[in-house]
Amino acid sequence: MEPPQADVRSEPRILVAGIGNIFLSDDGFGPEVLRRMAGRELPAGVRAVDFGIRGVHLAYELLDGWDALILVDAVPDRGEPGRLRVFEVDSDQDLGAAQFDAHSMDPGAVFASLRALGGTLPPTVIVGCQVLSIEEGIGLTPAVEGAVDDAIDAVFDVLERRIALCASESPAR
C-alpha cells in the first residue's frame, strides 16, 4: 500500500469578488462586471463570485485559504467618473474601516471582519471604477457603464500576472 500523497495543486486558487449595491446606481459596478464575466472562461483554480452587499460572506469565504483576491468595486472620490484604478492592497493598509461590521460591504470593513474572524488577507488587488452617482437607482451611469469591458480586461490581466507570480513562487505548482 502506498503512503497518501500530499495535496499538491497545479494552479493557484484565486478569488475574484464583485462587491457593491445594485440599488445604488454606480455602486453596482462590481456586480455588473462579474455578471458580464460569466460568459468568459476562467483559468483553472479561479472562482468568480458576485458578493453584492454580503460582506461577512466574503470574509468567511476568505477563511478558506485563497492564494490571491481580486476585488471589483466602485470607488468614490478618486477622479473622473468611469476612470479605472487597479491597485494592490497591503494587509496592514487602513482602508477606513476600524471594526468588524457584518452589514457593511466596504472593503475595509470586510478586511476588518476577516481579521476579527482570525483570518489573514491574501495578496489583494482592487479593480476599482470612479463613480458618478451612488443615489438610489438601478443601472450604471453611462460613464461607469463604459468602463465595464475595460474592467473585465483588467481583471484578466491581473489574473494572468498573479498566476505567473504564484507559479514562480512555488516549485510545487
Side-chain angles (χ1 to χ4, degrees), residues 10-164:
S10 61
E11 68 277 331
R13 294 181 65 230
I14 300 174
L15 179 63
V16 180
I19 60 175
N21 187 335
I22 64 168
F23 297 110
L24 296 178
S25 192
D26 290 341
D27 196 51
F29 176 76
E32 180 61 18
V33 170
L34 270 284
R35 185 185 72 77
R36 291 201 207 166
M37 279 182 58
R40 297 202 34 194
E41 186 174 341
L42 296 172
V46 175
R47 181 170 175 228
V49 179
D50 170 13
F51 282 92
I53 58 172
R54 298 171 295 137
V56 75
H57 293 175
L58 174 55
Y60 273 104
E61 180 69 33
L62 291 171
L63 291 174
D64 198 27
W66 293 91
D67 295 308
L69 169 66
I70 301 171
L71 278 179
V72 184
D73 193 14
V75 291
D77 305 322
R78 302 275 187 197
E80 183 179 337
R83 178 177 169 254
L84 287 179
R85 185 165 175 239
V86 179
F87 57 100
E88 291 188 38
V89 176
D90 185 304
S91 63
D92 296 326
Q93 189 171 348
D94 178 16
L95 293 179
Q99 59 192 15
F100 178 88
D101 183 352
H103 301 289
S104 180
M105 197 57 225
D106 174 86
V110 172
F111 301 161
S113 298
L114 176 63
R115 284 190 297 274
L117 293 168
T120 57
L121 188 66
T124 300
V125 174
I126 295 179
V127 175
C129 181
Q130 170 60 45
V131 300
L132 176 63
S133 172
I134 53 170
E135 299 296 318
E136 286 186 20
I138 297 176
L140 304 176
T141 60
V144 173
E145 170 77 26
V148 171
D149 288 337
D150 289 340
I152 293 170
D153 291 341
V155 167
F156 278 90
D157 288 346
V158 172
L159 281 171
E160 184 178 307
R161 288 193 312 270
R162 180 53 57 185
I163 289 168

